Amino acid sequence: MSDQPAGFTFDGRPVALRPGQSVAAALTESGHRPFRITAKAEKRGMFCGMGVCQDCLVTVNGVPNQRACMTPAQDGMQVATQVAFAALAEQPEPKAGEGRQIAPDVLVIGAGAGGLNAAIAAAGSGASVVVLDERKVSGGQYYKQAAGAAPLLDEQQQEGASLIASAVSAGVEILSEVEVWGVFEGLLVMAQHQGAALIARPRTLIVATGAYERPRMVPGWTLPGVMTTGAAQTLWRSYRTLPGKRVVIAGSGPLNLQVAMELSRGGADVVMVSEAARSPYRQPLTAARMAAAGPRLAARGLAMSLGLRQRGVRVSYQTSLTRIAEVENGLKASFTDGQGRQIDHVVDAVCMNDGFEPQNEILRLLGAEMTYDAGFGHLRCQRDLTMQTTVPQLYAIGDCAGLGGAPAAGVEGTIAGLAAASHCLNAPLPDLQELHARLAAHRRFQARLWAMHDIAPRDLSEQVDDLVVCRCEEVSLGELRTALGTAPGHAGTVKRATRAGMGRCQGRYCGPVTARLVADRDNRPVEDRSFYAPRVPIKPVSIAAILAAQEMLDGND
């Protein structure tokens, strides 16, 4: 056995590697921030940390367009900065015979709190259940399991590990590293599993794809070293990698406080947490209502706030991030507090969470009806008491149906799993009264928790024209404003005029902004059809994979 330490190269330079790390985690730990160069010669790095933004692309062993955050690092890899319009490398085309077709009673997409509970409930009722998970390790964004053999950090990770073990014990088949790229009428699901085609024709489909974080769009938000708070949490909880030595966290919501505590305990210098809302002590009635709805969770939140204070982490309320600039020794993050004063910090990483956007592309492609929640600034899926959508045998649970939190997602999953199994087995539906009571309690707490924060969509009317809104196609706010003056009143026409939303992430960040800009201009409410229409493939996938899936379908005819 070689005594040489594990590692790979990045642009020819050695990068150390610890077992289980992703390429993005290893590069970040080695101090590398930029991963790719855009068509306009701008640098990009890891941003979302969950495969949504497509900004962390690198070339691995000569193959371009690999997401560093989703690619396990391996000893001896040759990784290179992704250049704009990278030449495509020849790759072996997957053959239909190498693929797989499945037809379970219940198919669950997503292995987080909702998906795992749904799978356990359905399998426990006697249904055959398969779970498709994009990540290598199940658990979703809430449980965030550690990669490799790292010990569990806390009770939250332990709960996730127990849930995964329960699903396996119940006979659930969990397929990891699955990229679902298409869904079609009749609950036909097309995916790629570890390079081979995967086609699923379930009797019932439960979508538990969660949500991704809404950024604070300010000048500099696309710079390498700027990432979502969840991405920083993934680096630490999954890979024991800090996003940087000196960190600021900005936005609004409880996740920012939790991650600030975790990073501080991990050795990071969290110089400030900026919270756009008022301090809980300045809204005592709202805080009291929240505590009454969930005393245990409220106590945990209070303990976290006190713990941050003891660690010297400053939480600055009514303070908002206004600009990020690249400087010689890092990033300069500028803030404005409630008195209008400017606060500057030079750091290695800027983490932001300003709310959430549901990952609802699968639901919308299948025709599930949505309503716009103006308070949260996102779409909510219409569901009945069993979590079934307006499409028969299609269920939506957790944050993909509208932000509700992990505890509520878990209960929704159990309800949907029982209902789906009942349909497949033609069995009576169990009494759901106790589950609905628990769900109502979780929703009541969540409503009062979010009332204390400021996660409504931001007004960009005062922002400068050169603010980048579409990360992928590098479309500015000024270009969107110009298109609004010439294009008819729909986000789709603005998209065609500017290319905003035509990039690899398919408008997941710029789409909601464009929809609101169009609605504001026309003085009408935002609705489902205000958004960019979802399209197949949902996620970038090779043409070879699509052709292989088509060959498999043709072979069935």
Side-chain angles (χ1 to χ4, degrees), residues 100-300:
R100 181 184 176 191
Q101 299 189 55
I102 58 176
D105 290 329
V106 181
L107 181 70
V108 182
I109 301 179
L116 289 171
N117 276 285
I120 292 168
S125 299
S128 59
V129 183
V130 176
V131 176
L132 306 183
D133 188 24
E134 188 175 21
R135 291 192 168 273
K136 185 175 182 178
V137 181
S138 299
Q141 292 300 303
Y142 180 73
Y143 291 121
K144 279 195 174 80
Q145 296 298 286
L152 298 174
L153 273 177
D154 50 28
E155 181 182 342
Q156 190 168 315
Q157 279 196 334
Q158 180 62 60
E159 183 181 345
S162 298
L163 203 57
I164 295 167
S166 296
V168 174
S169 297
V172 175
E173 182 181 7
I174 301 178
L175 299 180
S176 302
E177 298 180 85
V178 175
E179 192 80 74
V180 175
W181 57 263
V183 291
F184 303 90
E185 187 177 356
L187 305 184
L188 172 63
V189 177
M190 312 284 272
Q192 187 172 13
H193 179 217
Q194 298 178 345
L198 175 67
I199 296 176
R201 299 177 182 271
R203 298 179 64 187
T204 57
L205 175 60
I206 300 177
V207 179
T209 46
Y212 57 95
E213 289 166 275
R214 180 186 297 149
R216 168 73 74 150
M217 291 186 180
V218 298
W221 75 288
T222 60
L223 288 170
V226 180
M227 65 187 71
T228 65
T229 303
Q233 186 183 48
T234 296
L235 283 174
W236 178 245
R237 293 183 73 84
S238 297
Y239 307 112
R240 301 300 187 268
T241 300
L242 294 172
K245 181 59 180 174
R246 286 173 53 84
V247 178
V248 292
I249 299 177
S252 188
L255 178 63
N256 288 339
L257 296 180
Q258 179 182 345
V259 175
M261 176 61 79
E262 291 172 357
L263 296 183
S264 178
R265 286 174 176 166
D269 178 12
V270 182
V271 298
M272 188 178 78
V273 178
S274 78
E275 166 60 58
R278 293 181 298 163
S279 164
Y281 301 107
R282 302 193 65 178
Q283 39 182 334
L285 182 58
T286 304
R289 288 173 175 167
M290 180 198 68
R296 187 174 67 88
L297 291 174
R300 285 176 57 185

Side-chain angles (χ1 to χ4, degrees), residues 212 214 354 356-358 360 364 368-383 400-403 455-459 491 508-520 523-532:
Y212 57 95
R214 180 186 297 149
D354 221 21
F356 295 86
E357 297 287 350
N360 54 25
R364 297 181 66 213
E369 294 184 11
M370 305 273 169
T371 56
Y372 184 70
D373 185 330
F376 284 83
H378 63 225
L379 295 171
R380 289 190 180 273
C381 185
Q382 296 182 25
R383 301 173 290 173
C400 70
L403 189 62
I455 59 168
R458 303 301 169 191
D459 180 8
R508 286 174 170 84
Y509 296 102
C510 65
V513 173
T514 305
R516 287 189 286 269
L517 287 173
V518 172
D520 288 344
N523 194 27
R524 59 180 174 82
V526 180
E527 55 186 12
D528 183 10
R529 291 178 176 81
S530 302
F531 288 74
Y532 298 150

Side-chain angles (χ1 to χ4, degrees), residues 22-60:
S22 66
V23 170
L27 289 175
T28 299
E29 191 165 68
S30 298
H32 296 287
R33 293 290 186 272
F35 294 174
R36 76 178 182 97
I37 306 298
T38 72
K40 294 184 179 180
E42 297 294 330
K43 299 174 183 178
R44 293 282 195 273
M46 186 180 74
F47 181 67
C48 74
M50 57 183 294
V52 171
C53 73
Q54 311 288 324
D55 245 350
C56 65
L57 299 180
V58 291
T59 297
V60 178

